[in-house]
Structures are given as structure tokens and as C-alpha cells.
Amino acid sequence: MDTSSWVDTSLDLNPFSATPLRLEETPKKEPNGNLIVFGKELSVKEETGALVEELNRVNEENKKLTEKLTAMCENYNALRSQVMDLMSKSPEKEIIPSKKRKSEISDNNGNNCNFGVVGNSESCSTDEDSSKKPRQEIIKAKVSRVYVRTEASEAGLVVKDGYQWRKYGQKVTRDNPSPRAYFRCSFAPICPVKKKVQRSADDQSVMVATYEGEHNHLPHSQMEPTSGPSHGSSSLNPSRPTMSLGLTKSKPSGAGAGAGEARNSSSNNPEMDSPQVRQYLVEQMATSLTKDPNFTEALAAAISGRMFSARSN
DNA sequence: CGTTTTTGACCAGCGC
DNA sequence: GCGCTGGTCAAAAACG
């Protein structure tokens, strides 16, 4: 697994690796040639020493942060492999519809190259597309499926994913005793995304959310609470949904998160780039970082350093 | 009072 | 054409 690759490139979370911490502003020089560092006026003699010292300090900081990031990646890798292992041990029975209708058949089965995940229709369905004439639905509808484990006590068909949804229908389907709920994005018709949520026929504690389309706006939890959703159980929730971390699948431009990618390695997992996944991972990373006292300490040191430097200007 | 949820009716695709 | 099924509509109810 090359987690570092997606951390570095897909998520752009690691600015240190690409451009190590550097002094963006060189210390101010006085007209007489002396240097002012942290409010101290240094002679030309001391200038080099101070610069070297500062450089070393920054380098150390950079090193620390890089190490932390690496450790985080390794932890994530371990966690991810555990989840994969668990899922492969108790594989959810693939939903094989005896009689599926048009687009769902072509979208889901056609690219069912990952366990439990339906990526968007363009990701890996080749045979069907080549043998049949292209369908409009395949092009316009990007479908992804997310498996979400919920608390047993949680009764409602609610999958918290950061977006605000409006329910417009509910049906009892033939192949599953639990009802299926139909949601539209609250920003519809501006945002055309729909999702279907249904409990898994096998495991009632697992919610299966099927997303259609791609959000053209930020998640609600990322937006300013201007409108103040009165019922927003799914929004502004500090405890993120139990979306299967790193088990996602969709194309770079694909629709949202999928989950349950248990058999494929992440190296050929283009979904890591999807906006929702990015969003989620960024939040996870941010949470992890801010929880780390060492990181906050380092950050505070860096900020205070900058403040001192700015004050001296 | 505006927004969301509920729920029965309706519509369209598919197989026979 | 008919029946089955999934998906959507829309009026009424519920909610904050």
C-alpha cells in the first residue's frame, strides 16, 4: 500500500514534503547593514550565526512534523489493513438482484470490481460498455455505495455524511424487509445528488447508502451556519459518521464516498481523490493533528515565532 | 409560518 | 397487455 502517495499528492495535506518549512520572509535588514531578529539588533558578525541557528530550529521543527505525519500514515495503514481484514473475514453478501432494473444493473454489476463498493460508472466497467452502446445514464449518473455501521439503537434511516438531505420517499423493496428511504440534497435542484438508504438485509446494523450524482457544493458541516438548520442531526456534528475510512471508491471526479473496498489495494484506488473522501480524510487528519499535544506545541511555537518576527518588523 | 417528513398514489421499465 | 417492482410526486401532517 502506498498511503503516502495519496497523502502527498491527492490530499495535498503534506506541504512539508513538497516544500519544507522555510522562512518566507527574510529577516529585516537595517540600513546600517545590521540584522534584526526577534527584536534584537544584531551586528553583521552575529548575523550568520543567528541565521544558521534559526535555520536549524526550523529544520528541526520540520523534521518533527514530518515524522509525526509519517507516523500518522503508518497508523492509518495499520488501521486500514485491520479493517480490510475484518471485512474480508465477514464479507457482506453481495446484493445480487434477481431482477434489477436498467441503470442499476449496468452501473453496479458492470463495475463491481471491489467488494461492496459501487464506484462511478466510468471507473471500471469496460466489457459492458464496449459491447453495448453507451447509455446516457452511465455518463450522467455517478453512483457510489457506502456501507455504514450504525449503533444498534439507532433506528432511523439516517446516514450522517456532512450533507443535508431531504427525504422524499420511502419504499419497502422486495429483496429487503427493511424500508428504503429516498433522499435528495437539500440544495436541489441546484445540487442534483440523490441517495438511497436502506439497512442491509444481512446485518441490520449496517446501513447501505447509495449516492447518485456529485455534490456541487461544500458539505453542510463545512458551511457557515447561516441558515441555522433546526433539525440538522446530520450536520455540524462533531462526531463524524462512521463512514468506512479509506474504504472508498470512485473516480477522481467521482461522486462521493464509497466504502467496503476490501480486496483491492489502494494503489489502484482512484476514489481517494473524490471530494467527499478528501473532505473526510482532511477532517480526520486535522482532528488527529489537533489532538496531538506535540503538534499543537510545535504549531504554537511556529506561530509565536512568526509573530515575534512580524513584531520586529 | 416555513420547512421537513410521512405516506398513498402514480408512473415507467421490465419480464412473461 | 398485464402484473410486478422501483422510483417519484404531492397533499397532509408534524416539527421547530
Side-chain angles (χ1 to χ4, degrees):
Chain A
M1 280 185 281
D2 54 346
T3 310
S4 58
S5 65
W6 59 259
V7 168
D8 288 345
T9 59
S10 318
L11 287 168
D12 293 333
L13 281 176
N14 191 6
F16 313 119
S17 62
T19 55
L21 276 181
R22 65 182 196 277
L23 290 173
E24 292 177 3
E25 297 163 18
T26 53
K28 193 177 178 179
K29 267 200 168 182
E30 288 292 288
N32 60 9
N34 288 350
L35 186 71
I36 294 180
V37 175
F38 291 156
K40 285 196 295 181
E41 187 172 349
L42 303 175
S43 66
V44 183
K45 229 176 170 184
E46 296 167 328
E47 187 175 331
T48 311
L51 275 175
V52 168
E53 192 182 2
E54 178 69 8
L55 197 62
N56 285 337
R57 193 182 65 81
V58 172
N59 275 340
E60 260 186 52
E61 229 170 76
N62 188 16
K63 204 172 170 182
K64 271 189 204 171
L65 291 174
T66 308
E67 280 173 6
K68 285 186 190 308
L69 200 61
T70 308
M72 275 175 52
C73 289
E74 284 171 0
N75 287 340
Y76 171 71
N77 274 339
L79 205 61
R80 179 191 162 94
S81 57
Q82 279 180 22
V83 173
M84 283 182 174
D85 199 32
L86 271 176
M87 295 190 76
S88 61
K89 277 179 186 170
S90 58
E92 257 178 86
K93 190 172 67 187
E94 193 58 43
I95 301 168
I96 303 174
S98 57
K99 219 195 304 183
K100 268 283 169 80
R101 304 178 73 159
K102 49 165 187 175
S103 61
E104 219 171 340
I105 282 251
S106 57
D107 286 354
N108 295 356
N109 297 348
N111 52 19
N112 215 2
C113 40
N114 286 291
F115 159 73
V117 173
V118 179
N120 69 72
S121 50
E122 298 159 67
S123 58
C124 50
S125 67
T126 53
D127 296 347
E128 246 185 349
D129 291 354
S130 58
S131 61
K132 294 179 181 179
K133 58 184 176 184
R135 305 178 64 158
Q136 275 194 334
E137 293 116 313
I138 292 178
I139 297 168
K140 73 178 179 188
K142 296 181 175 179
V143 182
S144 60
R145 184 168 297 178
V146 179
Y147 289 82
V148 180
R149 184 168 289 276
T150 60
E151 299 296 327
S153 60
E154 208 170 321
L157 286 167
V158 176
V159 174
K160 297 169 186 172
D161 53 13
Y163 290 93
Q164 195 178 357
W165 299 93
R166 180 177 174 177
K167 190 177 180 180
Y168 67 90
Q170 183 166 319
K171 269 279 196 206
V172 176
T173 54
R174 206 173 59 85
D175 52 353
N176 194 334
S178 48
R180 173 184 297 171
Y182 299 89
F183 296 90
R184 245 194 285 266
C185 182
S186 284
F187 288 92
I190 297 168
C191 179
V193 182
K194 295 175 193 172
K195 81 169 175 183
K196 294 174 280 189
V197 178
Q198 189 174 30
R199 292 194 178 277
S200 168
D202 293 336
D203 190 347
Q204 293 289 305
S205 65
V206 174
M207 307 284 285
V208 181
T210 306
Y211 292 84
E212 289 179 32
E214 200 173 355
H215 290 283
N216 51 19
H217 57 89
L218 287 172
H220 206 73
S221 57
Q222 295 286 307
M223 301 176 77
E224 291 295 323
T226 49
S227 58
S230 53
H231 59 283
S233 63
S234 64
S235 58
L236 303 170
N237 194 342
S239 61
R240 297 290 303 164
T242 54
M243 190 190 285
S244 317
L245 180 61
L247 302 174
T248 55
K249 181 182 187 321
S250 73
K251 272 195 80 170
S253 62
E261 182 261 334
R263 287 172 189 163
N264 279 14
S265 67
S266 64
S267 56
N268 54 356
N269 194 5
E271 304 68 37
M272 287 303 186
D273 234 5
S274 82
Q276 283 185 355
V277 177
R278 277 185 173 216
Q279 190 61 56
Y280 183 70
L281 288 173
V282 165
E283 287 175 23
Q284 289 290 319
M285 300 282 269
T287 306
S288 303
L289 285 173
T290 51
K291 276 180 184 170
D292 189 342
N294 292 330
F295 174 77
T296 50
E297 191 183 335
L299 189 64
I303 291 173
S304 60
R306 292 296 294 271
M307 286 172 67
F308 276 123
S309 149
R311 201 182 299 170
S312 67
N313 286 344

